[in-house]
Amino acid sequence: MEQWEKAYDKWQLFPHLEPSLKSELANMKDNTTALEDAFYKELTFGTGGMRGILGPGINRMNIYTVRKAVNGLANYLQVNCVNVKDRGVAVSYDSRHMSQEFALETAKVLGAYGIKAYVFDSLHPTPLLSFAVRYLGTAAGVMITASHNPPEYNGFKVYNEDGGQITPAEAEAIIGFINEMKNELTVPIVERKQLEEQELLNWIGEEVDNAYLAQLKQISRLSDQEQQVKKDLQIVFTALHGTSYDLVLKGLAQLNFSNVAVVKEQAEPDPEFSTVASPNPEEHQAFTMAIEQGKMVNADILIGTDPDADRLGVAVKDSTGEYTILTGNQFGSLVLDYILSHSDKALLTNARMLKTIVTTEMGSAIANAYGVETIDTLTGFKYIGEKIRQFDTTGETFIFGFEESYGYLIGSFARDKDAVQAALMACEMAYFWKKQGLTLLDALDVLYEKHGFYLEGLSQLTLQGKEGAAQIKAIMDDVRKTPLTEIAGLNVLQVEDYLSGERTIINKNHNVEKIELPKENVVKYILEHDSWVCLRPSGTEPKIKCYYGVCEKSREASEERLASLKSTMEAVMERK
């Protein structure tokens, strides 16, 4: 009997299996492929938590795999945090299937250890969970979300006491405690009624929202007088069936942005995300309804958040009346320049801009122009949050952080990417430039002319299941065994292998340096002509991703260079 069959039998024979999972399992009994995929391994708990398809099995998101993760977290906290039972854990959840149920299951397991849970009384964005951890002073936080994944997914993200996603070291320690529980079906729990009676389950109401909104107003670069003025800016906003509706509208109202047209069909939470193919603002189809409404009301700007409101997409009306969707790199560059140009020069002396290694180098160019140092981190906003935490002791000043995948942070009262903050800043910038007769697209052209035509791209190869994971591994193994020395006619100047922690400079001596970053399965090639390529398996989806960056003197030259890099690297990925 194979290992997955033993795991399947354990579930099948468990007398108290949750009825809906028991029914699903019965429907799968003749589908060996589906059963193997559900039971061949435990759902991976990575550096931020876990994410997977809903359903029965140890490789699926369900009440038992969630309980096991919480059980490990509870044991970790008791060993590593002081006064954890009273400080407790903050818990939030989004609009997905089973999100509210998983939030309550989290409280049930924590309660079994006498640890208080502070659970939002309604769905809330990820940045609010990060803020709540800091505001309430809890020992940790849990966010139930699968971000912008398809409807069949959900996830479990863990935050440390600083409000940031857990670090790799913290994740490794938590995983150790998770693995101590051998049987996910027998994790101890306490039922809701008893938890409430013992004040181990506490519901978070409007107090945290109001405290967050007070902080949100402070990120504005408008004067107090200008904040009071009604803004001549037409906005279209879509929440994409997620969590941001109330907070974005309240935040805009605080700054007197009153001309806000909401995409009503996408305002209500919907776990099926029924009006979009994917609730991901990075994908242009997510803006279809917003664009239609934008044309109806002659909107200046369209803004859209993903379901847990940690990513923001922005579209701007161009000179022809059509709407152009900005990339994360473009919008992040615009925000950075706006913030730096509206900051006291004395503040910038010790300021630091944070971005990931796959984010545009235009950010570095802009920051350098203002005398601000750029710090690169590994991919994932947890690394940006970790660096901000370090600034609390080094005395450096956080000024802005962003990543290419539509994640931005302006005010560090939250320690994860925050689409609510970004939505307000998008509208404020659009208002600022409109007063000068310009759009955000015009402002972007100014940056290109000043710093160079930085363009970026991304290729993704989806490889599902056990075989797909093996293919992804083979691709990464191959580029390590036979490193590329030339890509699309450009010589490789450096190879940065973040798994080995080494940077190889390609010259006659092949000098090798150590990289001062945590280890991760990433290989980055630095090329001639300010170009680069980076290969990275996704940590949350069955994909391998290849990122590209170029900078030429004209848009046409950059587009040509980018297309050449993409075609070459896509062939590299597909040859396995």
Side-chain angles (χ1 to χ4, degrees):
M1 181 180 287
E2 293 191 41
Q3 197 63 37
W4 73 263
E5 293 175 299
K6 293 178 182 178
Y8 166 55
D9 279 351
K10 182 179 73 173
W11 276 56
Q12 189 182 30
L13 297 173
F14 184 61
H16 306 296
L17 196 67
E18 195 274 327
S20 65
L21 293 174
K22 186 174 183 178
S23 176
E24 285 186 69
L25 207 56
N27 291 335
M28 294 165 61
K29 64 182 176 64
D30 296 323
N31 190 338
T32 304
T33 301
L35 286 173
E36 182 178 3
D37 195 52
F39 287 96
Y40 85 95
K41 67 173 181 122
E42 292 192 6
L43 189 61
T44 303
F45 190 100
T47 54
M50 61 185 187
R51 190 182 301 184
I53 296 171
L54 292 159
I58 60 175
N59 189 31
R60 295 288 183 264
M61 283 290 297
N62 52 65
I63 63 170
Y64 301 110
T65 51
V66 168
R67 287 176 182 176
K68 184 173 181 177
V70 181
N71 190 76
L73 174 62
N75 281 288
Y76 165 83
L77 292 174
Q78 291 186 114
V79 171
N80 291 279
C81 294
V82 297
N83 198 25
V84 64
K85 291 186 176 181
D86 285 335
R87 291 170 66 196
V89 175
V91 184
S92 186
Y93 58 94
D94 68 6
S95 57
R96 289 180 173 273
H97 291 295
M98 296 297 293
S99 282
Q100 188 173 25
E101 289 86 347
F102 291 159
L104 187 55
E105 291 296 331
T106 301
K108 288 179 179 180
V109 177
L110 291 170
Y113 290 92
I115 300 173
K116 291 181 179 180
Y118 296 88
V119 184
F120 278 94
D121 60 8
S122 60
L123 51 80
H124 271 73
T126 289
L128 260 291
L129 183 277
S130 174
F131 176 78
V133 169
R134 297 175 60 78
Y135 180 78
L136 298 172
T138 62
V142 169
M143 181 71 197
I144 306 298
T145 179
S147 190
H148 56 277
N149 279 68
E152 63 269 23
Y153 281 78
N154 211 329
F156 178 92
K157 291 176 69 175
V158 181
Y159 289 74
N160 58 32
E161 62 185 354
D162 190 54
Q165 293 181 45
I166 52 173
T167 65
E170 289 168 333
E172 187 176 349
I174 293 170
I175 291 167
F177 284 101
I178 291 173
N179 292 338
E180 288 181 1
M181 172 57 69
K182 301 303 180 185
N183 189 350
E184 66 282 345
L185 301 175
T186 58
V187 173
I189 62 168
V190 176
E191 292 300 334
R192 172 176 174 171
K193 183 178 179 182
Q194 186 178 343
L195 290 175
E196 291 177 331
E197 288 173 350
Q198 297 177 357
E199 297 185 348
L200 290 171
L201 174 55
N202 305 274
W203 298 100
I204 300 175
E206 291 184 355
E207 178 189 347
V208 172
D209 287 15
N210 293 335
Y212 173 84
L213 286 165
Q215 290 287 329
L216 190 64
K217 193 173 183 180
Q218 301 306 311
I219 70 169
S220 174
R221 265 49 181 184
L222 300 173
S223 67
D224 291 342
Q225 182 178 0
E226 198 161 19
Q227 287 183 16
Q228 304 306 314
V229 176
K230 285 192 174 182
K231 311 297 187 294
D232 177 25
L233 187 78
Q234 182 61 58
I235 303 162
V236 167
F237 164 53
T238 175
L240 291 180
H241 304 296
T243 58
S244 68
Y245 182 84
D246 286 340
L247 286 166
V248 168
L249 291 182
K250 288 177 180 178
L252 288 171
Q254 285 186 147
L255 298 178
N256 278 292
F257 286 99
S258 55
N259 300 326
V260 185
V262 174
V263 180
K264 295 293 185 184
E265 298 91 337
Q266 297 175 332
E268 289 297 316
D270 174 10
E272 287 297 317
F273 310 113
S274 52
T275 66
V276 290
S278 168
N280 183 358
E282 291 181 82
E283 298 179 15
H284 290 190
Q285 55 78 30
F287 270 97
T288 300
M289 298 184 80
I291 289 172
E292 291 174 358
Q293 190 155 338
K295 290 179 177 179
M296 288 172 58
V297 300
N298 193 28
D300 299 295
I301 188 171
L302 319 177
I303 53 175
T305 57
D306 71 341
D308 69 322
D310 63 354
R311 298 172 194 247
L312 178 81
V314 176
V316 183
K317 186 173 64 176
D318 65 20
S319 58
T320 69
E322 297 298 320
Y323 288 92
T324 297
I325 298 173
L326 300 177
T327 69
N329 287 313
Q330 291 171 333
F331 180 70
S333 297
L334 284 165
V335 175
L336 175 63
D337 185 72
Y338 178 77
I339 289 173
L340 295 181
S341 66
H342 287 77
S343 294
D344 190 307
K345 288 185 178 180
L347 174 68
L348 300 184
T349 304
N350 210 28
R352 303 289 182 264
M353 189 276 286
L354 302 173
K355 71 176 188 67
T356 71
I357 60 172
V358 297
T359 299
T360 181
E361 288 302 316
M362 190 178 202
S364 302
I366 292 169
N368 186 59
Y370 289 93
V372 170
E373 182 181 330
T374 297
I375 297 177
D376 282 324
T377 73
L378 287 177
T379 307
F381 224 86
K382 56 182 168 287
Y383 297 110
I384 292 177
E386 182 181 13
K387 187 60 69 173
I388 298 171
R389 188 177 192 178
Q390 292 174 14
F391 291 169
D392 293 340
T393 57
T394 63
E396 295 163 279
T397 304
F398 169 73
I399 195 76
F400 180 59
F402 76 115
E403 60 184 2
E404 96 301 335
S405 55
Y406 286 46
Y408 322 96
L409 184 64
I410 300 151
S412 61
F413 50 89
R415 294 293 168 92
D416 202 357
K417 51 187 177 286
D418 189 338
V420 182
Q421 290 188 29
L424 267 63
M425 190 55 66
C427 296
E428 180 174 318
M429 286 196 305
Y431 167 71
F432 170 80
W433 288 110
K434 185 177 181 179
K435 287 192 302 178
Q436 300 178 55
L438 301 173
T439 69
L440 290 182
L441 294 174
D442 297 324
L444 187 61
D445 284 338
V446 171
L447 292 181
Y448 283 140
E449 291 293 341
K450 183 176 182 180
H451 301 289
F453 283 85
Y454 288 87
L455 293 183
E456 295 76 32
L458 171 66
S459 298
Q460 303 183 76
L461 186 59
T462 300
L463 297 165
Q464 299 277 4
K466 189 176 181 180
E467 290 185 4
Q471 286 178 271
I472 290 172
K473 182 179 184 301
I475 293 168
M476 296 304 294
D477 287 348
D478 189 48
V479 297
R480 287 191 168 96
K481 289 174 184 174
T482 54
L484 300 170
T485 58
E486 174 269 332
I487 303 174
L490 295 178
N491 289 322
V492 174
L493 303 179
Q494 291 179 195
V495 181
E496 297 177 347
D497 185 350
Y498 290 90
L499 194 60
S500 68
E502 293 183 346
R503 174 188 290 117
T504 303
I505 301 172
I506 310 299
N507 55 25
K508 64 180 180 180
N509 297 319
H510 272 65
N511 294 338
V512 176
E513 301 175 346
K514 294 295 182 183
I515 298 172
E516 295 299 324
L517 284 173
K519 290 186 177 182
E520 189 170 273
N521 189 13
V522 176
V523 174
K524 184 174 183 180
Y525 291 95
I526 309 300
L527 311 173
E528 297 176 293
H529 297 288
D530 294 320
S531 298
W532 56 268
V533 166
C534 187
L535 270 169
R536 169 183 170 265
S538 171
T540 57
E541 299 171 282
K543 295 179 178 179
I544 183 167
K545 298 182 176 183
C546 191
Y547 304 80
Y548 318 92
V550 301
C551 180
E552 298 288 345
K553 294 181 179 179
S554 70
R555 182 185 299 275
E556 294 75 16
S558 287
E559 288 174 345
E560 184 178 339
R561 179 78 70 193
L562 190 65
S564 180
L565 287 177
K566 287 186 73 172
S567 62
T568 300
M569 289 307 298
E570 284 171 359
V572 169
M573 288 195 293
E574 290 172 359
R575 72 188 180 196
K576 286 292 176 184

